[in-house]
Amino acid sequence: MSIEQALVERSSNQCELCSATDNLSVYEVPPVTETHSDKCIYTCQTCKDQVESNIDITPTHWHCLNDSMWSQVPAVQVVAYRMLSRLAADNGWAQDALDMIYLEEDTLAWAKVALAEDDDIKHVDSNGVVLQAGDTVTLIKDLDVKGSSLTAKRGTAVRNIGLTSNPEHIEGRVDGQRIVILTKFVKK
């Protein structure tokens, strides 16, 4: 059985991300060492174009991830995690979904590989120091957290930060709440 036939059967001939039924094709989820149906998803052209590019992302299209992120297929989970990570900085619903998603350790490592490989993206603090995932930073200004009554106070240490696809944003926990912070308001 070919990879495409296996994916058609697995997906019931629908996009595994948004359930569309037109213009479907195989998408190999990077990094690709060997092509196998377990490392691919069956997706529509709209999803494929936006997954492969950082531009022209239509956030409303990706509300479909609220359903597909619960797929039992690791390749679908990986793509859902990556897209939610890209959308989380500007979309509260995506951050909420990202906080809820559960991935096995090996699937999570696979999902984070491509995020880490975005070598064009460098996150730098207010002093120009390059930030890495897992670093501890300090806030240099009081920050009002959108959508919350929380004010993150100047001098607050934010441990184990996460990097986003936007070089001006990092993620971290302040008072137990996961927030997005502008890199210009932190120092390492």
Side-chain angles (χ1 to χ4, degrees):
M1 179 181 298
S2 76
I3 290 173
E4 186 165 8
Q5 289 171 329
L7 295 178
V8 166
E9 188 175 310
R10 179 177 84 194
S11 69
S12 301
N13 205 27
Q14 295 181 358
C15 175
E16 292 184 275
L17 298 172
C18 73
S19 301
T21 56
D22 296 330
N23 297 325
L24 301 174
S25 62
V26 176
Y27 173 69
E28 295 177 352
V29 181
V32 180
T33 52
E34 66 178 76
T35 305
H36 189 277
S37 62
D38 291 342
K39 302 288 185 185
C40 300
I41 63 171
Y42 205 47
T43 185
C44 67
Q45 195 62 47
T46 303
C47 289
K48 189 174 186 178
D49 289 344
Q50 293 185 41
V51 165
E52 292 178 334
S53 171
N54 276 335
I55 56 173
D56 298 331
I57 294 177
T58 310
T60 54
H61 174 78
W62 292 104
H63 284 278
C64 61
L65 295 177
N66 286 322
D67 294 326
S68 57
M69 72 182 202
W70 301 111
S71 171
Q72 297 299 310
V73 179
V76 175
Q77 295 172 346
V78 166
V79 174
Y81 181 89
R82 290 176 182 172
M83 288 307 298
L84 288 170
S85 295
R86 287 170 52 189
L87 291 163
D90 300 322
N91 299 283
W93 66 267
Q95 182 61 55
D96 292 343
L98 196 56
D99 290 341
M100 287 189 298
I101 196 169
Y102 173 77
L103 304 178
E104 296 290 334
E105 283 184 39
D106 56 336
T107 306
L108 183 59
W110 178 19
K112 289 185 174 183
V113 165
L115 297 175
E117 287 179 352
D118 288 341
D119 52 9
D120 296 351
I121 299 175
K122 294 213 184 318
H123 295 75
V124 294
D125 71 0
S126 60
N127 297 323
V129 176
V130 176
L131 301 171
Q132 303 292 326
D135 282 348
T136 297
V137 296
T138 305
L139 300 179
I140 61 170
K141 177 182 177 184
D142 287 356
L143 302 174
D144 293 325
V145 179
K146 288 183 182 177
S148 170
S149 61
L150 174 69
T151 298
K153 298 291 184 187
R154 177 179 169 206
T156 301
V158 182
R159 292 172 176 67
N160 197 22
I161 64 167
L163 304 180
T164 67
S165 59
N166 184 336
E168 297 176 0
H169 296 153
I170 60 170
E171 296 177 347
R173 289 203 180 273
V174 174
D175 291 338
Q177 186 173 358
R178 187 141 184 98
I179 63 170
V180 175
I181 306 166
L182 294 176
T183 55
K184 66 183 178 182
F185 297 132
V186 300
K187 67 178 182 178
K188 188 169 175 181

